[in-house]
Amino acid sequence: MRVNLNADLGESFGAWKMGSDEALMPLINSANIACGMHAGDPATMAQTVDTACRFGVSIGAHPSFQDLIGFGRRPIQMQPRDIELLVLYQIGALQAIASARGSRVTHVKPHGALNNMAHDDDAIARAIAKGIRLADPNLIFVANIGSAMVLAGRQSGLTVALEAYADRRYDANARLLSRQRADSVIDDADEAAESVVRMVESQAIFSVDGQRIASPIHSICVHGDSAHAITIARTVRTALEKRQIDLVTLPQLHLEGGDSP
Amino acid sequence: MRVNLNADLGESFGAWKMGSDEALMPLINSANIACGMHAGDPATMAQTVDTACRFGVSIGAHPSFQDLIGFGRRPIQMQPRDIELLVLYQIGALQAIASARGSRVTHVKPHGALNNMAHDDDAIARAIAKGIRLADPNLIFVANIGSAMVLAGRQSGLTVALEAYADRRYDANARLLSRQRADSVIDDADEAAESVVRMVESQAIFSVDGQRIASPIHSICVHGDSAHAITIARTVRTALEKRQIDLVTLPQLHLEGGDSP
Amino acid sequence: MRVNLNADLGESFGAWKMGSDEALMPLINSANIACGMHAGDPATMAQTVDTACRFGVSIGAHPSFQDLIGFGRRPIQMQPRDIELLVLYQIGALQAIASARGSRVTHVKPHGALNNMAHDDDAIARAIAKGIRLADPNLIFVANIGSAMVLAGRQSGLTVALEAYADRRYDANARLLSRQRADSVIDDADEAAESVVRMVESQAIFSVDGQRIASPIHSICVHGDSAHAITIARTVRTALEKRQIDLVTLPQLHLEGGDSP
Amino acid sequence: MRVNLNADLGESFGAWKMGSDEALMPLINSANIACGMHAGDPATMAQTVDTACRFGVSIGAHPSFQDLIGFGRRPIQMQPRDIELLVLYQIGALQAIASARGSRVTHVKPHGALNNMAHDDDAIARAIAKGIRLADPNLIFVANIGSAMVLAGRQSGLTVALEAYADRRYDANARLLSRQRADSVIDDADEAAESVVRMVESQAIFSVDGQRIASPIHSICVHGDSAHAITIARTVRTALEKRQIDLVTLPQLHLEGGDSP
């Protein structure tokens, strides 16, 4: 039994620092690296790639809407074709930097509002998948379980890694509970770890009202934006290791590719 | 006898349009495409790549300081290592877009203040050359005759294309006359065409005070930012064609590479 | 009988030029000046203020979402309180520049997506009104006829100028026809002029299906983003002058203020 | 005997936090607030104004070059007239926000590279002074002792507050030692406090080689970008209080104005 732990990193920008990349990197297997549109700059990207390499963490692009002031968290209406090019631009920039540091980009996970919008919007999900495939058809598309991105990725011929969250709760339709709800987030580290182990061992997610929704669980997203988040990540990792669940990079999952497009 | 005509294109940004790419493209052989830092956005880059392909124009990156409001024309102090990564980022973004459109990036020419600063500053010139080589060691580095970029490019093992300007005058040290001087710019289209033909046929540039400075002339830079600039470009092209001078893309120059680094 | 002609100006940014401010300025009475968030920069703002003063055109702020690449045309989700401060920031910046040039800001008209969203969204409309009132309670709020901004402005105690479009058609609910519809825009200059005269003389707007919707018509918005737009503006102005309708600045309308808040 | 303690605040931007404004505010008398060009956004500006008011801290604008990625620390060549408008824009934006929060802007201190360049460059110093005066001739211009800004401010008719640094050492020409030098910064909190008390009691600064350079000492700049910086600020404040030196806001210094311009 194996699973991947992924996290968003490299979200500093110029003089502004964000996240605890050094603390988080030893805990995860795959890093989603900001590419300059919501966070990240060439120097931060190179440094994050180097840190990832040092810890044997595989590298992914974390493309976003072009919105520094909103940190890519604000929904922005764009034409699918422009989203495809926006994603492609960001992957290309990271590919060049990763290659120069002796590494390479092996996955892509959309950031923030772009990810949220692509959860339900087929056209956006397809545009992202197309941008990924144009950058490199061997890239793994990390997609939320139950999202439109899963089908869009597969139909584009991409390998799709199904992702669940360590610290979020789901409804009966496999959707994340809205952050408006008091019970949307799992704050307790032990509870998060228990939830993750249960998901991985059951290959299913569980809704707050007790439903079991079967799904492969390829990757678990953890966060590193606070000391508490680091504690959750560490607790999750330790719990998985105790259960002899292998923690592997996304390429090491050896997932099968999607349909030939 | 052969020479290349290059120009800066794709310098629109979002709703703002700049240049007459459609009018200029049929007149040139190689396009330096803005990569999002001083101008250009993913959609503009893709469209410019497509137009270049349509006219058989070869594609180059035109990397710049990160300065939209200053259009990359303001000198900015940066560490050489950060310049290297800034250049690499921009080339990578364009490589991904060019590849997706069935084309590829074959040269790089720095933009504006970055180009000006690299003219005399060895460390900046080397940082640019390193960024280019890391992106792709087969990229042709388009460098002003007499600039620090020529040596930096060759020492990095890059192929260097030596560039002169159609509409500028030089001093006895092969430097462009300062724009402060009334005679720095050649406004007359016929005079610009005559100057270009003379440079190409003599393989030399000529200073305002009559000095002849021998140098291979690989590429001539023309502009497209006004109707008058388009007229100059057209007149230059016609004059070269009349003299049976072949107009070729940068790769078609078959220049020899630099030293093995 | 009197009416105001307003237009958006000062929408250049750094090296990028937009609009024909010099051609449009003699045709209008009030200018909505971009304040740096979707377009405009301090130098452009000062120059636009100067040009407006030269032509006796009154000055307004044209605040927007912070979105250069999207030119403020992309709907962005923001908290009302943040919108209020965003509007206030932009008005303040223009007030300082206008005052330094011996002029002053006398009205505010939201730009692009901010205007569109405030058409129907009471919370956004109130946030804009609050931002305006905090900047200066004597500012005139230019609001689309039938929009949520009209009530929000009045309830904030602001003077509201009711605005119609020279080149757009309306439905029976006084809404602009969607730009998706082929008949949404009036392309013919004479037809636009006729429509404007009819609205002003009738103090009503007329829907495409022939409904008459009574409303004071304080200001007519014209555009200057193309030679054709300039022609429409000139034709509208000439038609109004022929009918002895006075063309006045927004302050010269001497509109009554809103409710005491 | 009295002196002012000032610090740079409000340097967060969107999702990125910087500095410990809550920890620093009770220690200082006057806050230099970022205005959106190198840091700061409307919401951050309003919140910083509110915090300053809560602690009786007077409010100043901290205008900068337009350079988010460089945090305003990179020297940028601009025309003096454009610098004047850039400064004016930023002051105006903060004036509007401060006024809306029931406060007002009473001083201006340029940020980063703009401050550094204005130290020696008369044209830039005059441009800043002119921008300040145009915003409000009663604004206090906080200028480094020995800088071109002192004369430029006075000649513009502005009140100039002479500023020294708590944690920096000076050469015999009253210049800050270059940060290249190992001894440029005072790291020890007690030594910084002792240095400040000595400067204030002597109304002089002292160079590393023992020279005494007489100058009024109106304001001392402290920092808040690390826990250590907060410790220095607290130690400086405590030392001044022990010596019965009154800590006052910039307006409470009741400085005389400059020459009538």
Side-chain angles (χ1 to χ4, degrees), chain A residues 35 43 45 82 88-89 92-93 96 100, chain B residues 35 43 45 81-82 88-89 92-93 96 100:
Chain A
C35 297
M45 290 162 73
D82 290 341
L88 180 59
Y89 176 102
Chain B
C35 297
M45 289 162 73
R81 194 193 124 89
D82 290 340
L88 181 58
Y89 177 101

Side-chain angles (χ1 to χ4, degrees), chain D residues 239-260:
Chain D
L240 289 167
E241 287 173 337
K242 265 194 199 151
R243 304 298 285 243
Q244 317 283 344
I245 296 165
D246 284 348
L247 292 167
V248 298
T249 64
L250 285 160
Q252 288 167 341
L253 287 172
H254 299 302
L255 299 172
E256 281 180 36
D259 315 324
S260 299

Side-chain angles (χ1 to χ4, degrees), chain B residues 73-229:
Chain B
R73 288 173 180 158
R74 310 189 304 190
I76 292 178
Q77 307 299 326
M78 289 180 69
Q79 295 301 316
R81 194 193 124 89
D82 290 340
I83 289 177
E84 169 195 325
L85 292 164
L86 182 66
V87 166
L88 181 58
Y89 177 101
Q90 295 177 69
I91 300 172
L94 184 62
Q95 284 175 319
I97 289 175
S99 168
R101 315 304 297 179
S103 180
R104 68 194 184 89
V105 179
T106 50
H107 77 274
V108 177
K109 175 180 165 180
H111 170 78
L114 180 60
N115 198 326
N116 292 343
M117 292 169 80
H119 198 285
D120 297 314
D121 187 316
D122 290 332
I124 296 177
R126 280 195 301 267
I128 295 170
K130 194 167 173 200
I132 296 171
R133 192 171 60 81
L134 286 168
D136 176 357
N138 295 315
L139 286 166
I140 299 164
F141 187 0
V142 177
N144 295 342
I145 290 168
S147 75
M149 292 181 280
V150 176
L151 187 61
R154 286 186 182 145
Q155 286 181 338
S156 294
L158 293 171
T159 300
V160 176
L162 295 164
E163 179 191 40
Y165 285 81
D167 64 353
R168 295 294 296 277
R169 291 195 183 85
Y170 289 86
D171 71 14
N173 294 313
R175 282 179 196 285
L176 293 173
L177 289 193
S178 160
R179 284 184 179 273
Q180 313 293 343
R181 284 186 54 163
D183 59 348
S184 65
V185 173
I186 303 176
D187 278 324
D188 184 74
D190 290 324
E191 187 184 342
E194 193 179 330
S195 164
V196 168
V197 167
R198 188 181 180 207
M199 289 192 286
V200 175
E201 292 189 336
S202 313
Q203 292 289 296
I205 56 178
F206 297 87
S207 70
V208 279
D209 59 354
Q211 308 265 4
R212 179 185 188 283
I213 304 144
S215 165
I217 306 287
H218 299 134
S219 187
I220 300 290
C221 180
V222 296
H223 297 115
D225 48 347
S226 67
H228 183 58

Side-chain angles (χ1 to χ4, degrees), chain C residues 186-198:
Chain C
I186 304 177
D187 278 322
D188 184 74
D190 290 324
E191 187 183 342
E194 192 179 332
S195 164
V196 168
V197 167
R198 188 181 181 207

